[in-house]
Amino acid sequence: MLNVHLVPHTHDDVGWLKTVDQYFYGDRNDIQHAGVQYILDSVVDQLLKNPDRRFIYVETAFFYRWWRQQSSSMQQTVKQLVNEGRLEFVNGGWCMSDEATTHYSAVIDQMTMGLRFLNETFGPCGRPRVAWHIDPFGHAREHASMFAQMGYDGFFFGRLDYQDRARRMMYREQELLWRASDSLTPPMADLFTGILPNGYNPPEGFCWDQSCDDAPIRDDPDLEDYNVDDVVKRFLAIAEGQTNHIIMTMGSDFQYENANLWYKNLDKLIHYVNAQQANGIKVNVLYSTPSCYLQELHRTNLTWALKNDDFFPYADDAHDFWTGYFTSRPALKRYERISNSNLQVMCNQLEVLGGPVSRRGPFGVGDSKTMKEAMAVAQHHDAVSGTEKQHVANDYARRLANGWQHCQVLVSNSLAGLSGSTAERIYCDNLNISVCPLTESSKKFSVNVYNPLARPVTWPVRLPVNGTAYVVSDANGKSVVPVSPATREVRRSRGFAVNELVFQVQAPPLGYTTYSVSLLQNGPPPASTQHHTPTAIKNKVLNHSVITYEHFLQVTFDPDTGLLSSLSNLETKQTIKLTQNFYWYNASDGNNVESIQPSGAYIFRPNSSTPFVISKTAKTESIQTPAVQEVRQWFSPWVSQVVRLYADSRALELEWTVGPVPIDDDLGKEVITRLDTSIQTAQYFYTDSNGREVLQRKTDFRPTWNLKQSEPIAGNYYPINSRAFIKDDDDQLTVVTDRSQGGGSINNGSLEIMLHRRLLYDDVRGVAEPLNETSGIFPKGLVVRGRLLLSLDRPASAADAHRPLAQEVVLQPLLTFTGGDLHPNTRLEFSGLQAALPPAVHLLTLSQWDKDSVLLRLEHQFQSWESKVNSQPVTVNLQVRHSHTSYTSHLHLSVPSLQHIRT
Amino acid sequence: MLNVHLVPHTHDDVGWLKTVDQYFYGDRNDIQHAGVQYILDSVVDQLLKNPDRRFIYVETAFFYRWWRQQSSSMQQTVKQLVNEGRLEFVNGGWCMSDEATTHYSAVIDQMTMGLRFLNETFGPCGRPRVAWHIDPFGHAREHASMFAQMGYDGFFFGRLDYQDRARRMMYREQELLWRASDSLTPPMADLFTGILPNGYNPPEGFCWDQSCDDAPIRDDPDLEDYNVDDVVKRFLAIAEGQTNHIIMTMGSDFQYENANLWYKNLDKLIHYVNAQQANGIKVNVLYSTPSCYLQELHRTNLTWALKNDDFFPYADDAHDFWTGYFTSRPALKRYERISNSNLQVMCNQLEVLGGPVSRRGPFGVGDSKTMKEAMAVAQHHDAVSGTEKQHVANDYARRLANGWQHCQVLVSNSLAGLSGSTAERIYCDNLNISVCPLTESSKKFSVNVYNPLARPVTWPVRLPVNGTAYVVSDANGKSVVPVSPATREVRRSRGFAVNELVFQVQAPPLGYTTYSVSLLQNGPPPASTQHHTPTAIKNKVLNHSVITYEHFLQVTFDPDTGLLSSLSNLETKQTIKLTQNFYWYNASDGNNVESIQPSGAYIFRPNSSTPFVISKTAKTESIQTPAVQEVRQWFSPWVSQVVRLYADSRALELEWTVGPVPIDDDLGKEVITRLDTSIQTAQYFYTDSNGREVLQRKTDFRPTWNLKQSEPIAGNYYPINSRAFIKDDDDQLTVVTDRSQGGGSINNGSLEIMLHRRLLYDDVRGVAEPLNETSGIFPKGLVVRGRLLLSLDRPASAADAHRPLAQEVVLQPLLTFTGGDLHPNTRLEFSGLQAALPPAVHLLTLSQWDKDSVLLRLEHQFQSWESKVNSQPVTVNLQVRHSHTSYTSHLHLSVPSLQHIRT
């Protein structure tokens, strides 16, 4: 007997064309008809009508909203349905996260939020047994690894490369075993994975939702158009040729708002098809769930093909590579990433360290919940992915900003408790554009630098000021030498500051220190800049054509072009040729003989494989201070860069500024920076998966099928969440990014990263808007700024540098300011750790779990192969002293593992 | 306190854009999203959730379909809801009938079907207390009269002339007392009538159906966009300035498919608005029904303005007169009318007269139910009105045809029982186009002529034949003299017959007689025709320029033009000048400075007030036989007419044939015939209301308001259901029609009737199709044929002629055929009455009610003022002998009253 598992389900985007709350309420149905409150109302009603009926629900962000509004008797009814397996949660995270543009730490958090709610509300019966990522546009290995480690029995998804799907259909490999880590010992990261037969939609002709137009089952012989025989025949034709078990997803986007339509017809379908068993038809149709299907499948004792790589990039046709969203909305992507840092630092860590006073203290009531929810929602596959409508992107940002506000109250309270000072804390959220009213106008202020990492970190602080000389003292009263402001580069900045004060700070592990800053009247003038125009200075060796500090790095520039020309690691005595420039691909407008696919929020499709160079030369100026050397490059009015080398840094910082991307020529543009090096890459390059393990990539190649490459650029793009590198036997150049971006290595020795996109056409995947970001403060188009950190190392030890470097970008120190003098009793330094953790161990999470307990996540962060030193297992002795409990434990961490500890 | 009565309702068209069964199932949602099965499912579910909630349901055609599919426990639940007044039926007919194009007898039947079902299913609690015609496009006085006589407490509707509405809003006359008969003694036909404030829609911004996009009430302060205050404020603004009681229709077309959306938000609305009472707001919102609202209104002891005329024509703007649908789909309108005749005659009367054997007899199983349902559905205001999509019009016709089939079995059984002969009965349904295979090919056959009227009727029979001489004998074996076939006019006919046999038959009241027809070999040749071409025969008096028989009528033709020139009644010695010709209005295509409104299925809007004449002259031919004299006129290839005078007829028959209306010139055409007479009409003319009482009309005038006429033609059109007349002190010319049509009297002495319409544009009232009828057998456009019967009388006695004349058109004799010789024992004559009824009394209905009882409706059919003789009250002695019962009664009938008797 062939068992056909019908899985009634709804796919409820946690924001996309409408905001998450609009979706919940069913507001703005003029944009898209969708109201999740009604879906849950309706499904519960309909489940009660027939005990055979099943439903799965996925997005806890919505379920949680709904649940809070229900009467206790309705809650009791729902518990009963859950206990009886009629309503089953699958996946169960706060949202169905994006896989290409999320960072694993935020994904773990959002999954935790959802699963925790389900566990606390429904107990073991509410626990999702399968992961369910039916819509994300490609699938990351790290996601599968996380799901396996979270204990899911299996994983289902809907989208994969069309060539991959065709091959798997031919060879019946639509079910497979995904070995999702090359470091963890199998089966620790092994996950059964099923590819759904029709995306996540019902078979053609069998969609009975109110949003569909398929004919209902008309089974009253007294009325016109009796069609039972036709329906049964069509259904059996679909099932034909299958054996044992098949799954059919009976639902789609925001379906089941009127669940009666679906269930009434499914009841009839089951009845009339199974009635054919009396005629010898060997088909049995049943209401089911993915976990039930999986259980039945496991009973058949089949074996599955093994999969070691991932499912990127995703293409649904020859010229339709979903690799644009790796970069779409770069400002939102950065805001999400820094919000994660803020959540971990401001909310989570400081809430724990500050104790109950953090939540209710001298500065009022603060909470971490707002930020946690905002971050959880932002992980959705149409949120940080950049594939939502503009007004929805604004809503995600607004939620995050609101989260910041709530966290800042908490931080003020916490730091007041820890420092003993209730002086007002000032937050300068706009330091990235060099704006901070306090530092610009004060003669005296102090800076609290909080370090969220479990090891001491040195960090450059850059403050906009208007004085020409300042004294900066550390917590011991010792002057930081030397600090003199440099002339601020105003063309790229906002605000009214004239100068910029730069100095290095160092804060203790999981703790803070305090610097005080005082204006020196009549001090020396700020360091001045030297201007150079490449054409005017051709063939002349310039002072600034080499920038270096004594120990670590040396960078050279081509005096003819003003471009980078080489990078050297002075410690390892490596040098590579390195040219870097900016280019743009002309986005396809869809007017093309091969395909009418335009570039859009999802899809990257350049009109030509050769990008246009923005300028072959850069105008430059340079500035040197004891703390930092900068070469400032101008490529065009809308592309500039600062190449920056801090005195004690092992990484070269490229701070790029791109925008407003001009569109007066009616051409959409996808802006990249490309690093061309002397490294012999032989088509290989490496990108990370969700900020954690690194995968090898090869141009024009897929590990599991014989690729027919039809898009030489877009088809070679992969997500870069935190880093990418190219290497040969001698040299590895690693680029650490400050947000998720797309990139690839098209030519030997080359690595390109897409920075910004401005497009004039929708790419026909539903969002129905061109990705053309303008807003009140950027009416001519969004300007985006970001940083790439370059590290040149020997391949065998490169991870020892890029792991901590990336960590510092993901979890940034928190700066808070206080005007005037601090009270003399103020505690200027604090650390939450007795000692720094070993380099291999990352303190991923420290957050308040509930009133009496704390969640601590420690992580071994090196892959098994990447470091002789740091890939070794480590043991950590934990001794926790908390207001209520004392806890001691020996923790053994292997590569790259995670331990969750609740104390 | 102002009470705001919220009336949750759905308006479910019994066919319009989709067929009635497609609407029921929710099939073809690609055309329109609508599924009544789900509406009823959902409403019942939601009513159960809150005892305050109310719902009204209107169309029993749908409710009946749904009810049959429910389990007995669901039926019990629904009964409970009905008993508690939570579900209330209003109107309750099978459909919400059209008011402009229906005949009262079919309306009474469809109302009976619906109300009977409700009564038998729910008892007194299921009885609708109010009539509810929220959508029909204008309102007939006869409908109000019927509703009053059916015992409704009041009547609500939504559509009236925009000028009328404006005036009534200004003077607060949106509620009124409609005195719906000028013959019945008040308050017999008095009906409270309420005009709904917003058509039948909810106030703007308060539509919470799934089909609407209004913002839901967002009352969770933790989510975005909390809007309770705004909603309450907007609601109070609408209620402001009203006193006591107002009604709000919370629903619209096919709404409540997901009733949760409506009720969840209405619950909140009621809660939050009434919560304002604590702040002194004097508004109370409640779930209500129209009957509850009416009851409360009656308690206020207000008095209402009186209304004596009707609500035709309906205009929703200055150039938007809904007077096109009076004529739209003339073939469907005729098919519906003749189907009504067939239903009454074939199904109802013969089922009763034949007894149980009719339903199950020698010819199998027959039933009247199929035809009754088909007719009931056809009364819908988008059915016989002609305002449905083409495929839906086809469905109505198919249903009627199917009804005919079922009735024919019943007739065969019934006549077999009554006559004692089981010889096969042949039905010639296509005699109107002169096709009948039996008569065309048989040498001998008999014709059974059944007369459905309660008095003997003489009738001409016209049969297509191929012989040249026949002997026709009556039931007594007496030859009918003289009968010789005439040459058939083949250009206007289908089929293969060469000649046409015409003879007069007379059948007994409510009974049949039998004629036998035998081919005479070598008889005389058929009467031949004389051809005349006006241009060729100018100034020459022709033989056929006068047609007359000895006693009754004389008609003259203008020999120059071939057109009618005068009509004389020889008995009364009246003569009028009478010219008749055919014209077309150029339908507006919407490309117009005054308004972009085009002519369409609903709306008549000629581009100019001057119609184009089709031809100033007619080619003619004439034929004379003892039974009939004909003048055949050709005006163009697509317009022709036969002017026909039967030997013993007091009416002149104009059999027009129009079509295919040419559209090669890209001009939509609305074809009229116009009678121009010497009668001094002084702007007055008269049209009937649903085939019953006659109302006076006056050009460019409305009785209750100061009309600003903006459409001199369309704004003067009125529905003609069975007759129209013009008169002066001496002469009344009455035109009896064979179907509903639109018409008016634009000029003095003139009466025009629209016959056919072919349009190229949709008129933007929802049907979204141009009214451009083509089909398989009419690929070049529909050809329509019909008859106008002209009667010239003294005004004081005109009704004595037109009442019985119209009756004969509405209820036609039934002809059935038997080939060969009849068995000698065959009973050739039968009458169901012992004596004919008096002329004032019409036997409206005789039909089987259930196994043991019969429904008899007798009607006084004269208005109080229209006949010295026949407008008097009459008494009828009833003595019924039936197989089971014997019943005697004295029935007193006043003008124009109706008695329903169940025996």
Side-chain angles (χ1 to χ4, degrees), chain B residues 702-713:
Chain B
R702 302 287 187 270
T704 63
W705 84 90
N706 194 4
L707 175 70
K708 283 181 207 155
Q709 183 62 278
S710 42
E711 282 286 329
I713 307 299

Side-chain angles (χ1 to χ4, degrees), chain B residues 753-790:
Chain B
I753 295 177
M754 190 177 288
L755 303 177
H756 197 4
R757 321 177 69 211
R758 190 173 188 188
L759 307 174
L760 304 177
Y761 299 93
D762 175 61
D763 55 2
V764 208
R765 292 304 185 281
V767 72
E769 272 184 11
L771 184 71
N772 181 359
E773 296 174 282
T774 58
S775 71
I777 62 163
F778 290 119
K780 292 183 175 172
L782 187 62
V783 180
V784 185
R785 171 171 296 169
R787 293 186 307 148
L788 302 175
L789 299 181
L790 270 52

